[in-house]
Amino acid sequence: MPLIAIIDDDPDILDASSLVLKSKGFDVITALNPNDGFKIVVEKKPDLIILDVMMDEPDDGFFLAQKFRKEKIQTPILMYTSVSKTIGLDFDKSEMVPVDDFVEKPISPDELVDKVVTLLKKAEERK
Amino acid sequence: MVKILVIDDEKGIRLGTQRLLEEDGYLVETAENGEQGIRLGTSINFDIIIIDLKMPDYDGLEVLKEIKKAFPNTICFIATAYASYDTAIQSTRLGAFGYIPKPFTPEEFIYQIELGIKQRTLILDAENLKLEREANLLEIASEKSRLNTIIKSIHDGVFVINKSGELVYYNYAAIRYLNLADIKIEIGDSILYKLPLEIIAIIDKILNSDKILLKTYTSQIEILPNNELVIEAACTPVPNPDGSLAGVVIILSNITQFKKIELIKSQFVSMVAHELKTPLAAVQGFINIILDDSISINDEKRKDYLIRSNVRLESLTALVNDLLDISRMEIKTKQREIEDVDIKNIIINTLQLLEFELKKKDLFVDSSIQKKISNIKADYNEITRLFTNLLSNAIKYNKDKGSIFITVNEENNFICIKIKDTGIGLKQEERDKLFNEFYRAKNEKTRGISGTGLGLSIVKKIVESYHGKIEVESVFGYGTTFIIHLPINTN
């Protein structure tokens, strides 16, 4: 079963998201901050990363995504945002933001699973 | 064709000069007395008029005066057989161009008339030029009126462009706001290509429209990058007296400060939106799971999720209350209830209210307050809020069995309050951002401490609204001290 890493500093969101994915049969690992997040991704090599954009700093998630790409980690990234337009950061799927899709919180379980399945399928086709 | 009027009571002179002038191709009218002369001379715009000085009904100078009143640019000659120095001076003073002594030879007469015509042409050319310049608004800049001085000195930029796109007027502020100080600019220059594109577009629209609409078009323009200088240009057509388009007047206002406030406001709104949405998203995440039949959870887990949802909703309520406090405070600086406030009392009352939290962490409170502390004039609720926020922080971020030291002293005209805790302290970078809205120190030691991120920004707002000062000293891992100075004679 695919392994999914969720990196979010909100323990409630982390719990709810991982429960949803686990109940659909995915394996889930979690981290509460960018540093731990980087570590689990490097160690466990998940098939997909779900990343919150705002952690300690408003753009921590964004920088972590860039760091993954710089380190040649091409795992698909689904980025969580709670306000799509935040201070000074206007996101769209441009090359500047090396993520594969965005979702705005809150997200329903079905939607989350849909996004995850779609991204995993795309990654599979690329191989 | 040059039109000449001869006013003379002597028939011989009238006929003689008429024939002479008509031979040279001039159009000639005659009048046989002063009354007729005035009637003709004031109703038709003659180029040249020859007036006999002595007539039975009118004095020639009287006739001259009337005609000059009606047509100041008509060239008038006084003809007389009784030439005297006095009348010569008087007639010149009344506007006569020349003096023709009788009798005269045809050559002398025609020579005088030709001089007059030359003068008339000069006057008319100058007149036309002036009218033309007026129509092109080019005269505005040379007007030496007080109004001009006023417009030159006003804070907003003003400049005017005529319908050919030439600069016809500007003041100093306009040059400054358009960032044209380094470029040599003169009245009459074709200025359009030196202006920001936004203004050119509007001016083009006004100059090229068929109908002149007295409507103002505005545009906001970033003159210097990074919003260092932003102006608003308001362009309005200037009509001629006949209603046709004469040009465009452009008023430039510096709106840099408004833009900055606008940006701060929209940043604040999106931060608030984010802070409100985060707990909502968490709660909704839990509820979604509980409602989703395809996800099975046990009762214990369900209860845990409900409790955690409740905690998030409580923090959301606290956040909304803080936000309301901030907006209330912003309104309230105008409508406060100012009274004599005893700070010592407020601190004691606040500690009593926080008794439960103090006991829970088993904290020791040491307060040393000078015996005689002056009251300050302030709003009781605001000062209470100030100390509630600081003291509850001193509790929340303290370690178990820690201490809180409170001192209150009077120093010069200030009351100085120090609140010191033995808690987790602040890192340098945390201290710098401490008073920012929604900032919360996040590190391994603050995990699990709840807060809205607004408490200290409210504290700072209150202190500063009373012209006071707040400082923070801290060593990470050992504790934090807040030092507040409040002026005593505050109104």
Side-chain angles (χ1 to χ4, degrees):
Chain A
M1 219 36 203
L3 178 66
I4 295 167
I6 311 177
I7 307 165
D8 194 318
D9 67 338
D10 188 323
D12 292 342
I13 296 281
L14 211 54
D15 266 18
S17 307
S18 49
L19 185 76
V20 166
L21 292 172
K22 275 180 192 159
S23 78
K24 301 293 166 188
F26 295 103
D27 293 325
V28 178
I29 47 173
T30 62
L32 271 164
N33 60 57
N35 284 341
D36 293 351
F38 187 74
K39 215 186 290 168
I40 60 165
V41 168
V42 171
E43 281 170 9
K44 310 272 178 178
K45 298 190 175 46
D47 301 286
L48 178 80
I49 304 166
I50 297 175
L51 184 55
D52 183 34
V53 73
M54 266 194 158
M55 284 183 272
D56 286 355
E57 297 291 328
D59 44 9
D60 270 356
F62 169 67
F63 283 119
L64 185 55
Q66 280 189 328
K67 193 173 166 192
F68 285 140
R69 296 303 183 237
K70 237 179 267 166
E71 303 281 329
K72 304 272 177 259
I73 296 169
Q74 298 299 339
T75 317
I77 297 174
L78 174 62
M79 193 165 263
Y80 261 162
T81 65
S82 60
V83 180
S84 48
K85 257 191 166 181
T86 339
I87 317 97
L89 287 170
D90 247 327
F91 293 115
D92 57 47
K93 289 177 198 174
S94 69
E95 289 198 13
M96 288 296 292
V97 188
V99 304
D100 299 81
D101 205 354
F102 289 90
V103 288
E104 210 170 308
K105 290 192 280 194
I107 181 173
S108 75
D110 289 346
E111 236 182 303
L112 178 61
V113 172
D114 258 13
K115 290 260 184 194
V116 166
V117 169
T118 312
L119 281 180
L120 286 172
K121 206 183 276 171
K122 252 199 234 164
E124 194 60 39
E125 282 163 10
R126 245 186 284 160
K127 274 180 193 167
Chain B
M1 183 104 97
V2 177
K3 284 190 304 234
I4 300 178
L5 173 64
V6 179
I7 308 168
D8 205 307
D9 59 327
E10 253 182 85
K11 200 179 177 191
I13 298 272
R14 287 203 305 274
L15 292 176
T17 49
Q18 185 171 19
R19 204 188 57 230
L20 208 56
L21 292 168
E22 281 177 352
E23 273 172 14
D24 275 16
Y26 302 122
L27 208 67
V28 184
E29 294 271 348
T30 60
E32 59 182 46
N33 54 41
E35 192 213 324
Q36 211 186 350
I38 290 173
R39 192 154 33 82
L40 277 169
T42 58
S43 54
I44 297 167
N45 188 2
F46 283 100
D47 295 297
I48 309 274
I49 299 180
I50 300 131
I51 307 161
D52 185 22
L53 185 64
K54 286 238 169 355
M55 286 179 287
D57 59 342
Y58 272 97
D59 185 276
L61 293 179
E62 202 61 36
V63 178
L64 171 68
K65 210 161 64 184
E66 290 302 315
I67 290 170
K68 273 289 177 184
K69 215 193 282 172
F71 293 111
N73 291 334
T74 295
I75 303 292
C76 295
F77 290 95
I78 295 294
T80 179
Y82 313 95
S84 82
Y85 194 64
D86 279 353
T87 47
I89 290 179
Q90 216 184 334
S91 59
T92 315
R93 194 174 292 153
L94 288 171
F97 174 68
Y99 207 71
I100 305 178
K102 288 191 213 172
F104 43 76
T105 64
E107 291 77 24
E108 277 169 2
F109 180 67
I110 292 295
Y111 176 69
Q112 288 287 336
I113 295 299
E114 279 170 354
L115 281 183
I117 289 169
K118 242 182 237 167
Q119 179 65 16
R120 170 77 172 171
T121 313
L122 284 177
I123 292 174
L124 289 185
D125 283 354
E127 187 79 352
N128 283 337
L129 189 68
K130 194 177 164 217
L131 284 175
E132 203 177 290
R133 282 173 66 84
E134 264 168 19
N136 282 321
L137 299 172
L138 284 163
E139 288 298 300
I140 314 174
S142 52
E143 274 170 17
K144 293 260 183 296
S145 67
R146 187 166 290 190
L147 196 60
N148 192 352
T149 315
I150 294 170
I151 296 174
K152 283 270 185 216
S153 359
I154 59 176
H155 177 71
D156 282 350
V158 179
F159 70 102
V160 181
I161 279 173
N162 67 11
K163 57 178 187 288
S164 324
E166 294 161 341
L167 179 69
V168 292
Y169 188 85
Y170 65 87
N171 70 358
Y172 311 121
I175 296 302
R176 204 166 59 237
Y177 291 155
L178 291 172
N179 205 20
L180 293 177
D182 301 334
I183 302 168
K184 198 167 175 293
I185 285 180
E186 271 172 28
I187 295 299
D189 281 356
S190 286
I191 184 91
L192 282 185
Y193 71 96
K194 290 174 184 158
L195 299 176
L197 293 173
E198 295 91 334
I199 297 183
I200 297 177
I202 296 177
I203 292 176
D204 271 349
K205 191 157 83 186
I206 295 176
L207 294 184
N208 294 324
S209 69
D210 306 330
K211 257 195 355 208
I212 155 167
L213 291 173
L214 286 182
K215 196 172 135 185
T216 299
Y217 302 85
T218 62
S219 176
Q220 299 189 347
I221 304 150
E222 189 180 350
I223 299 288
L224 298 177
N226 301 323
N227 285 322
E228 285 289 319
L229 177 60
V230 187
I231 58 161
E232 181 170 270
C235 309
T236 316
V238 178
N240 281 314
D242 66 1
S244 63
L245 181 70
V248 184
V249 55
I250 298 104
I251 309 287
L252 306 167
S253 327
N254 187 347
I255 55 164
T256 312
Q257 285 309 316
F258 295 113
K259 280 279 150 193
K260 280 188 183 148
I261 293 167
E262 207 175 274
L263 183 71
I264 290 170
K265 203 190 94 194
S266 73
Q267 284 178 343
F268 185 75
V269 168
S270 64
M271 274 160 76
V272 168
H274 177 260
E275 295 298 320
L276 293 176
K277 218 173 159 190
T278 304
L280 282 177
V283 170
Q284 212 161 345
F286 287 141
I287 291 178
N288 277 334
I289 289 171
I290 293 169
L291 290 178
D292 196 321
D293 293 332
S294 71
I295 302 170
S296 60
I297 49 171
N298 58 29
D299 285 354
E300 197 188 331
K301 196 91 187 153
R302 181 178 297 121
K303 187 158 186 200
D304 175 46
Y305 284 178
L306 287 173
I307 290 169
R308 284 162 72 176
S309 296
N310 204 26
V311 170
R312 299 304 291 257
L313 289 177
E314 272 167 8
S315 79
L316 189 57
T317 310
L319 174 63
V320 172
N321 283 336
D322 278 356
L323 285 170
L324 286 174
D325 262 5
I326 285 182
S327 82
R328 213 175 288 145
M329 222 158 48
E330 270 158 13
I331 301 164
K332 229 188 156 186
T333 46
K334 286 182 193 128
Q335 35 180 270
R336 285 179 160 145
E337 287 170 39
I338 300 293
E339 56 187 319
D340 276 338
V341 170
D342 179 356
I343 288 185
K344 189 170 79 180
N345 236 334
I346 289 184
I347 291 176
I348 291 168
N349 289 344
T350 308
L351 285 170
Q352 270 166 6
L353 280 173
L354 295 168
E355 179 105 25
F356 177 73
E357 280 80 10
L358 285 166
K359 284 229 171 89
K360 211 160 68 177
K361 279 193 132 171
D362 199 9
L363 297 176
F364 167 74
V365 178
D366 176 85
S367 57
S368 102
I369 300 176
Q370 243 180 28
K371 277 218 179 82
K372 279 188 94 181
I373 289 292
S374 306
N375 288 345
I376 62 163
K377 290 200 184 307
D379 185 300
Y380 182 86
N381 291 327
E382 278 183 7
I383 302 299
T384 303
R385 180 69 198 239
L386 165 65
F387 288 108
T388 309
N389 285 7
L390 286 173
L391 289 170
S392 64
N393 271 1
I395 297 170
K396 267 198 300 193
Y397 293 97
N398 219 321
K399 60 181 184 212
D400 286 345
K401 293 189 187 342
S403 306
I404 298 173
F405 301 95
I406 304 165
T407 64
V408 183
N409 291 303
E410 226 175 284
E411 290 175 6
N412 302 322
N413 282 320
F414 286 87
I415 293 179
C416 171
I417 305 114
K418 289 187 186 175
I419 297 175
K420 178 175 159 57
D421 66 55
T422 54
I424 56 184
L426 292 160
K427 296 175 182 168
Q428 177 64 44
E429 66 266 25
E430 293 169 343
R431 211 182 316 165
D432 296 341
K433 296 180 192 159
L434 198 58
F435 296 103
N436 293 356
E437 272 128 7
F438 300 116
Y439 178 77
R440 297 197 61 220
K442 279 189 184 176
N443 55 53
E444 55 284 4
K445 290 181 175 169
T446 61
R447 196 156 293 149
I449 301 174
S450 69
T452 60
L454 288 172
L456 285 177
S457 89
I458 291 174
V459 165
K460 190 169 195 245
K461 276 198 168 77
I462 294 175
V463 172
E464 286 179 350
S465 75
Y466 287 102
H467 309 289
K469 193 172 77 173
I470 181 160
E471 291 164 317
V472 54
E473 289 169 359
S474 184
V475 180
F476 184 62
Y478 291 92
T480 303
T481 308
F482 286 95
I483 303 150
I484 299 112
H485 287 84
L486 287 171
I488 290 167
N489 296 317
T490 310
N491 281 313

